[in-house]
Amino acid sequence: MTGGVAAGAVTAGTGAAADITAAARVVAASKVYGTGDAAVRALDAVTVGFPAGRFTAIMGPSGSGKSTLMHCAAGLDSLTSGAAYIGETELGALGDRQLTLLRRERVGFVFQSFNLVPTLTVAENITLPLDLAGRSPDAAWVDGLIDVVGLGGRLRHRPGELSGGQQQRVAVARALAGRPEVVFADEPTGNLDSHSGGEVLALLGRAVREMGGTVVMVTHDPSAAAHADEVVFLADGRLVDRMTGPTAGAVLDRMKAFDGRGGGGAQ
Amino acid sequence: MSTAAESARGPGQGAGPGHGSGPGRGSGTAPGTGAAPASLRIGLAGLRAHKRRFAGTFVAVFLGVAFLAGTMVMGDTLRASFGALFGDANSGTDTVVRGADQIKAGRGPGVREPVPTDLIAAVRKVPGVAAVAPDIEGAGQLVKPDGTSLDTKGPTVAANWIDDPRLNPYHLVDGRAPTRPGDAVLLRDTATQAGLHLGDTTLLRTPDPVRIRIVGLATFGGQDKQGGSTYTALTTADAQRYLMPRPGEATTLKVRADAGIGQAELTRRVAAVLPARFEALTGQQASTETESATAGTFLTAFTTLLVVFAGIALLVATFSIHNTFAIVVAQRTRENALLRALGATRRQVLGSALAEAAAVAVTASGLGLLGGIGIAAGLQALFPAAGFPFPDSGLVIKAVAMAVPLAVGVLVCVGSAVLPAVRAGRTAPIAALRDSAAESVGVSRWRALSGAVAGAAGVTLTVIGAAGTTVPAAAVGAVLTLAAFVVLGPVAAPVAVRVLGAPVARLRGVTGRLARRNALRSPRRTAATATALMIGVAVVSLFAVLGASMKATLNQTVNRSFAGDVAVNEPVYGAGGSGISPRLAPAVAKLPQVQQAVGLGRGIAEIDGAGRQLTVTDPVALSRLLDLGTVRGSLAGLGTRSIAVARPEADKHGWTTGSRVTIAFADGQRLPFTIGAVYGQADLAGDYLMTRAAWAPHRTQDKDTLVAISFRPGVSIAAGKAAVEKAVVPFGSPDVQTKSEYATSSAAGINTFLTLIYALLALAVLIALLGIANTLTLAVHERTRELGLLRAVGQTRAQLRAMVRWESVVVAAFGTAGGLGLGAFLGWALVRATDSSGTGAFAVPPVSLGVVLLVGVLAGVLAGWRPARRAARLDVLRAIAAD
Ligand SMILES: Nc1ncnc2c1ncn2[C@@H]1O[C@H](COP(=O)(O)OP(=O)(O)O)[C@@H](O)[C@H]1O
Ligand SMILES: [Mg+2]
């Protein structure tokens, strides 16, 4: 368990949380799917910042709007109202091309599954965003990353030849390869057994603590959330709570409170 | 686990791919889920999705059927209108009298002995005969007011005006009938085309220029025009003078019966009074005969050609369609497995797949029939504009012309679906639980082995056939080689794509690399997609090589044999001209610049029982202007009872100088001749040479087809040519050509033919491209999540489009390269196998083949256009969907 380390880091940062610049943030963010009777308010006036150099987890029951929040904050989807920022860049003002360039230069992604392009080798997948941008990778940095994720011997393999956990580790390496301002991960361990999941979470933790990165992770697993410096809780599209220095038990208790109160989300 | 399923689906994506269609479709009404049976919902969703997947198949079948039906309808229509035309020509004629024996050489119409007009009196005395008229027909090309000749590419008919209005199929509508020398009646359309009016005077090249005055305009069968012919009628005396070799002769006699006497009866009676060398036949028989002799052969050849190309298009379609079905079945593995798991039998799954194919087949073929009728109507309107002389009348739509294309369309479509459907039926229920589509991606060793064996056998047989000029061996070899190419496609695909895609990967970075890898994903699929294009391109290349080789052979022949400086060259009768006046050569010979001028005429006679084409000329002068090779015997001493024969022909018959042959002429004379000389080279001179003096007594309408001219030393080609051009003005300004112009114009027919072939092949290539587009569209659907991922991590829309387009280009380049290789090889084999004399040239046209390659690659860009745009429009968020 890295809980002790995490707690220390959070303690150090708690007081300054408001002052630390946010790597990404949303202000009064609302997202409505559909219209009329069928309209679903997936996000409801959420304001939240994800501080630079921190590992933040977004928790909440299924259907609470976690993925929607992440997609909107990362420039994958647009808000119905409100604003989303990466650094000081307001995403609503950007067109598709600018958003794409922003994603590949300033943001990293780890998805729950299907993270890798099956026709590319591990090495090619890792440098994919850089290759798409026509940037030459920082060789020392990438080599270091490959060491950290522990896949040095597998660089010429295709994703199909790797286990699910290995694939997710490659995805983490890919997300970090371009030294993005922020890495978004949506249920990165959702498809993994607990051991592989632990490895991926540890990797994300090291990215923040040893490499100075910023990670925002969506999860509904309290023990995954416990790897983060801070947890923000969503319910029915609203920000309902934050917790610094989370432990699995505390998060689970918090979640149980929601269940008792709201009886689940929009599902 | 499925919590993310709903969230991942973008709004309003109802028409998305079927593959990802889980039960979550239409999540807006989530609470009602479970009301309708799952199988029904899946079936409906599938059907909706497949409509798009089968769009390519639909269009391929539609185009193939439309082309075939259009061809057949057009053929029937042309046949019917030609039938009407020839029926009209003899509508008032009950009996035709003509020479009994026909001499034919090659595929030409042949010649008959003219009928002496003395016979008219005897025929008129036959009881039941109401009227008899001589019918005189020959070639006559009109000269337009600007001095050039009217060239409509069709027959240039000159004839006598028949005064009996019922025997004359032409009807005077303006002016009067010709009565005085020089009077002429034109078909109204002919006058319009020539820009001539009533009262104008002009020249008629018969081919000797005759001054005529237009005194009347006529229609034919109520129409201003008569097929693609031009028509000029003179008085009978003029016609006899200019169109017949001797006065007192006619081409045929037309006889009309008294009321109440049938054609057969009249014909019997007339036949009884005729000398043995002449025969009588009914007007009806005469119509049918000319129809099948002229229009019939031409139409059969033409429609056969079209049907062959419809067949090629349908063959290409078969490959595309099969490929589509194979992919769709693979993509639907889970769906079919689910059906099997739910209790559907193999036969039910197979049956539903086939029923789907049949539904597409019947709808597409049915609409194809309508399209075919549209094509026929369009062609009917277009052909005359393009210079093809076709009569216009209502479309003739026969049951066969509808039934055959319908059957072929359904057969091709359903037939292409059989194998994939069987595979669908074999889907194991367990496949529902597996993740990936169960399309076998690898290439079996059996395929590589059988392909290699077929390829080796095919190439060997083709080469043997080509070397030994054994056409059947080469043909079997060619078919085997084609089969080997098809079978080996998937084996060759990985290597070919790697090589062809290398520059793309190098130039376009990761986008190019991804495109190349995508094309490598399923070698079978890539090969099947490329095969359709390969077949189309192979046929194009084959004809390009064939055409280039024919042109090269012609060029070689002219360069080797033509020792003159310029040539006067005019189209012959039937090809838009009327030949060259035999007086032109002597007139040109008198020019101070000219050293020698000799005309080459053509005659037909039977030599030792077989019809032969003779070159009627001055053999001595000819030997100075054409290289005849080594001559044994004496050309100078041929006189009126000897001929000269080319060595290969002489060898074939065992003739040497001094051998004796019997020559039967069209006028009925049979005369003994001696072989006076044997010459080495038949290239331009032809196989038989006869002096004008020997031919004169038996001649028909006198005309030369070529005049070869040499200049005196010191006269430049340009100056000499200018002088000749001036001298030939009174002859209607026939074309004066330098040696290279002569070679080029001789090859003009080849170019026209090639253009037609390329136009016909465009359809096959179009269908192949639709196949590529369709495969790509299906692939884009399949790769939805991957594409979304790429977009999420920073691939721009432009990069994504480029990636899909480059994949398309690589596949198209693979098909084009294969087609070029195959076509060039088979073209070589065809040229060699059919070159029995061993003198033909083989030429690869680098420009044409370069253009084909370029077009193939550009076509790839085009084929990838829509799939690329569609891919770029995909929702990025699909990447995160967790099924
Ligand atoms: N594309 C969409 N169309 C309609 N509703 C959607 C869409 N995506 C998400 N939703 C709805 O928005 C709400 C929040 O979804 P999501 O952000 O995916 O939740 P979570 O990730 O917390 O499970 C849910 O009610 C979901 O059904
Ligand atoms: Mg989610």
Side-chain angles (χ1 to χ4, degrees):
Chain A
M1 271 303 230
T2 52
V5 181
V10 170
T11 317
T14 318
D19 307 318
I20 293 176
T21 45
R25 63 198 160 96
V26 295
V27 178
S30 293
K31 176 77 181 177
V32 181
Y33 289 111
T35 50
D37 282 351
V40 177
R41 188 165 281 271
L43 285 183
D44 194 359
V46 174
T47 299
V48 65
F50 304 109
R54 287 284 186 285
F55 187 168
T56 311
I58 304 174
M59 280 290 292
S62 186
S64 58
K66 304 183 295 291
S67 293
T68 306
L69 173 61
M70 190 204 102
H71 295 158
C72 292
L76 285 170
D77 205 354
S78 58
L79 288 166
T80 310
S81 69
Y85 298 85
I86 297 287
E88 288 311 309
T89 312
E90 214 263 287
L91 303 186
L94 305 181
D96 177 78
R97 185 180 155 75
Q98 288 162 306
L99 276 176
T100 305
L101 300 187
L102 174 129
R103 283 200 301 270
R104 76 182 176 202
E105 271 147 28
R106 300 172 61 185
V107 181
F109 287 99
V110 182
F111 300 114
Q112 178 173 356
S113 64
F114 207 90
N115 259 302
L116 306 177
V117 177
T119 51
L120 297 181
T121 62
V122 165
E124 288 167 330
N125 264 292
I126 291 175
T127 55
L128 179 60
L130 293 166
D131 290 341
L132 284 169
R135 266 162 58 190
S136 49
D138 173 343
W141 171 256
V142 172
D143 287 349
L145 266 178
I146 290 166
D147 268 356
V148 171
V149 298
L151 287 165
R154 298 263 180 173
L155 289 179
R156 312 189 113 252
H157 288 225
R158 295 285 164 95
E161 298 163 293
L162 304 183
S163 72
Q166 287 171 325
Q167 289 188 23
Q168 289 303 80
R169 272 148 56 197
V170 175
V172 173
R174 196 243 347 259
L176 295 168
R179 296 182 193 259
E181 293 168 31
V182 53
V183 171
F184 288 99
D186 191 354
E187 314 249 14
T189 57
N191 277 0
L192 302 181
D193 60 73
S194 61
H195 176 73
S196 309
E199 282 179 347
V200 170
L201 291 165
L203 211 51
L204 288 170
R206 286 179 71 181
V208 173
R209 277 144 217 148
E210 293 172 15
M211 306 179 190
T214 304
V215 172
V216 178
M217 178 181 74
V218 167
T219 182
H220 63 261
D221 174 7
S223 59
H227 284 256
D229 300 325
E230 183 181 12
V231 180
V232 299
F233 292 92
L234 282 186
D236 288 341
R238 284 195 205 90
L239 188 68
V240 290
D241 204 356
R242 313 180 65 128
M243 179 190 287
T244 44
T247 60
V251 172
L252 190 60
D253 289 342
R254 192 73 193 79
M255 293 293 289
K256 280 190 181 138
F258 291 133
D259 285 346
R261 194 191 50 127
Q267 284 291 95
Chain B
M1 279 290 132
S2 67
T3 44
E6 275 94 339
S7 67
R9 212 144 271 128
Q13 291 285 336
H19 185 57
S21 62
R25 189 174 286 278
S27 58
T29 57
T33 304
S39 60
L40 184 63
R41 278 215 320 275
I42 290 168
L44 287 177
L47 203 69
R48 199 153 27 114
H50 298 154
K51 243 195 240 166
R52 279 210 172 161
R53 291 177 174 187
F54 288 128
T57 301
F58 186 91
V59 176
V61 176
F62 171 83
L63 286 177
V65 170
F67 189 66
L68 187 57
T71 299
M72 293 179 77
V73 168
M74 197 183 63
D76 289 341
T77 303
L78 287 174
R79 214 161 274 141
S81 47
F82 275 115
L85 209 60
F86 290 110
D88 283 346
N90 285 313
S91 59
T93 303
D94 296 302
T95 298
V96 173
V97 176
R98 67 179 186 193
D101 295 322
Q102 186 186 28
I103 301 183
K104 280 183 75 121
R107 243 173 277 183
V111 289
R112 286 175 191 276
E113 178 179 359
V115 183
T117 40
D118 300 349
L119 272 179
I120 293 177
V123 172
R124 191 170 282 141
K125 278 194 213 113
V126 172
V129 169
V132 187
D135 186 26
I136 300 163
E137 257 191 51
Q141 189 175 19
L142 283 162
V143 175
K144 294 187 278 188
D146 66 3
T148 61
S149 302
L150 172 64
D151 182 0
T152 57
K153 306 264 186 296
T156 45
V157 180
N160 65 320
W161 182 260
I162 297 173
D163 288 315
D164 184 308
R166 307 223 341 243
L167 285 175
N168 187 347
Y170 297 88
H171 180 68
L172 206 57
V173 286
D174 207 352
R176 59 172 176 84
T179 51
R180 286 189 289 263
D183 283 357
V185 170
L186 301 189
L187 191 62
R188 191 139 70 180
D189 175 68
T190 305
T192 312
Q193 288 199 52
L196 293 168
H197 307 277
L198 215 55
D200 287 355
T201 57
T202 186
L203 291 180
L204 181 70
R205 298 173 50 194
T206 64
D208 254 345
V210 176
R211 185 146 290 278
I212 56 165
R213 189 176 54 257
I214 295 148
V215 297
L217 296 175
T219 55
F220 176 84
Q223 304 248 323
D224 281 357
K225 59 183 196 176
Q226 177 194 7
S229 307
T230 65
Y231 174 80
T232 312
L234 311 169
T235 64
T236 300
D238 274 356
Q240 264 173 346
R241 188 165 149 211
Y242 301 119
L243 306 179
M244 298 306 287
R246 279 164 297 273
E249 288 186 339
T251 314
T252 60
L253 300 183
K254 293 181 144 199
V255 187
R256 180 161 63 79
D258 281 326
I261 306 231
Q263 287 197 350
E265 176 57 25
L266 184 78
T267 304
R268 203 163 28 246
R269 290 188 200 172
V270 169
V273 305
L274 295 177
R277 279 155 38 218
F278 301 97
E279 65 180 11
L281 67 168
T282 64
Q284 194 93 55
Q285 284 167 336
S287 300
T288 330
E289 222 174 76
T290 28
E291 184 194 336
S292 64
T294 45
T297 14
F298 165 71
L299 274 182
T300 310
F302 188 67
T303 38
T304 308
L305 185 76
L306 290 182
V307 168
V308 164
F309 282 89
I312 292 175
L314 282 162
L315 179 69
V316 169
T318 307
F319 278 95
S320 294
I321 296 167
H322 171 81
N323 198 31
T324 304
F325 280 118
I327 298 172
V328 167
V329 162
Q331 291 184 349
R332 283 165 72 193
T333 302
R334 285 179 133 195
E335 210 170 301
N336 288 327
L338 184 62
L339 289 175
R340 298 272 284 119
L342 291 176
T345 63
R346 277 186 178 199
R347 299 191 76 176
Q348 278 172 319
V349 172
L350 184 147
S352 79
L354 278 183
E356 203 164 43
V360 175
V362 170
T363 347
S365 304
L367 285 174
L369 293 183
L370 292 182
I373 295 172
I375 287 177
L379 285 180
Q380 205 180 17
L382 267 177
F383 269 22
F388 285 96
F390 284 143
D392 37 18
S393 60
L395 286 182
V396 176
I397 300 168
K398 289 190 181 162
V400 178
M402 296 287 103
V404 169
L406 185 71
V408 169
V410 171
L411 214 72
V412 161
C413 189
V414 177
S416 310
V418 165
L419 277 180
V422 168
R423 218 173 300 142
R426 288 215 194 106
T427 313
I430 191 73
L433 308 175
R434 285 200 208 110
D435 201 29
S436 59
E439 186 183 17
S440 59
V441 162
V443 176
S444 72
R445 200 171 306 159
W446 184 86
R447 173 186 286 275
L449 197 71
S450 61
V453 169
V459 169
T460 311
L461 213 57
T462 311
V463 171
I464 289 174
T469 62
T470 348
V471 177
V476 173
V479 171
L480 265 177
T481 309
L482 173 67
F485 262 66
V486 173
V487 172
L488 287 178
V491 183
V495 183
V497 167
R498 241 171 239 131
V499 172
L500 292 167
V504 180
R506 192 155 316 129
L507 291 173
R508 300 307 308 257
V510 71
T511 302
R513 208 153 63 224
L514 283 164
R516 182 161 74 141
R517 300 262 172 92
N518 282 338
L520 276 169
R521 275 182 134 149
S522 165
R524 264 170 75 165
R525 204 190 269 189
T526 298
T529 309
T531 297
L533 185 61
M534 183 195 79
I535 292 173
V537 170
V539 183
V540 171
S541 320
L542 184 136
F543 276 101
V545 166
L546 196 62
S549 299
M550 282 159 71
K551 276 191 249 178
T553 304
L554 261 173
N555 235 319
Q556 182 180 299
T557 304
V558 170
N559 279 328
R560 187 170 54 199
S561 301
F562 190 81
D565 293 309
V566 294
V568 180
N569 186 21
E570 270 292 288
V572 293
Y573 178 75
S578 58
I580 302 164
S581 163
R583 291 186 315 172
L584 185 142
V588 168
K590 288 201 191 90
L591 291 173
Q593 292 89 344
V594 171
Q595 171 108 45
Q596 190 104 47
V598 64
L600 285 79
R602 273 203 200 138
I604 292 177
E606 253 175 36
I607 300 178
D608 275 1
R612 306 285 175 199
Q613 198 155 68
L614 314 175
T615 302
V616 180
T617 186
D618 172 351
V620 176
L622 188 75
S623 68
R624 295 197 193 112
L625 284 166
L626 299 186
D627 179 5
L628 295 181
T630 18
V631 178
R632 245 184 277 147
S634 155
L635 289 173
L638 286 185
T640 54
R641 279 293 174 274
S642 300
I643 54 168
V645 184
R647 168 126 358 88
E649 189 72 10
D651 288 349
K652 203 156 71 187
H653 296 93
W655 295 327
T656 54
T657 45
S659 297
R660 305 190 63 79
V661 292
T662 304
I663 302 187
F665 295 92
D667 60 9
Q669 299 217 49
R670 303 172 61 83
L671 299 169
F673 270 76
T674 313
I675 310 283
V678 173
Y679 54 96
Q681 208 154 268
D683 282 354
L684 293 173
D687 284 331
Y688 298 90
L689 298 182
M690 183 178 271
T691 61
R692 287 186 191 274
W695 175 250
H698 318 287
R699 72 185 198 279
T700 44
Q701 194 179 5
D702 241 356
K703 56 203 162 215
D704 284 349
T705 52
L706 180 75
V707 175
I709 300 162
S710 64
F711 298 136
R712 283 185 199 284
V715 176
S716 73
I717 302 278
K721 188 180 172 206
V724 172
E725 268 167 349
K726 213 151 138 210
V728 301
V729 169
F731 299 94
S733 305
D735 231 6
V736 182
Q737 301 167 335
T738 62
K739 200 163 162 174
S740 69
E741 284 167 347
Y742 172 50
T744 312
S745 82
S746 308
I750 299 172
N751 285 338
T752 312
F753 179 68
L754 282 182
T755 310
L756 177 70
I757 299 285
Y758 292 155
L760 292 174
L761 284 170
L763 180 75
V765 172
L766 178 71
I767 289 179
L769 292 180
L770 282 170
I772 296 183
N774 206 39
T775 310
L776 276 175
T777 305
L778 292 169
V780 163
H781 280 318
E782 233 170 25
R783 300 175 198 155
T784 301
R785 297 187 63 193
E786 182 182 330
L787 297 176
L789 170 69
L790 281 164
R791 294 275 291 123
V793 301
Q795 190 175 44
T796 61
R797 285 214 161 109
Q799 284 176 319
L800 173 57
R801 279 196 297 265
M803 179 180 83
V804 176
R805 277 203 298 265
W806 280 115
E807 179 181 355
S808 173
V809 168
V810 168
V811 173
F814 173 39
T816 308
L820 279 176
L822 181 64
F825 173 63
L826 295 184
W828 169 82
L830 185 61
V831 168
R832 282 284 165 257
T834 52
D835 179 21
S836 48
S837 65
T839 54
F842 169 73
V844 175
V847 175
S848 304
L849 296 188
V851 168
V852 170
L853 186 63
L854 198 70
V855 167
V857 171
L858 284 180
V861 176
L862 225 62
W865 205 267
R866 256 179 66 82
R869 281 192 32 186
R870 259 160 157 244
R873 279 199 306 255
L874 282 180
D875 191 349
V876 179
L877 290 176
R878 283 174 177 279
I880 313 123
D883 259 22

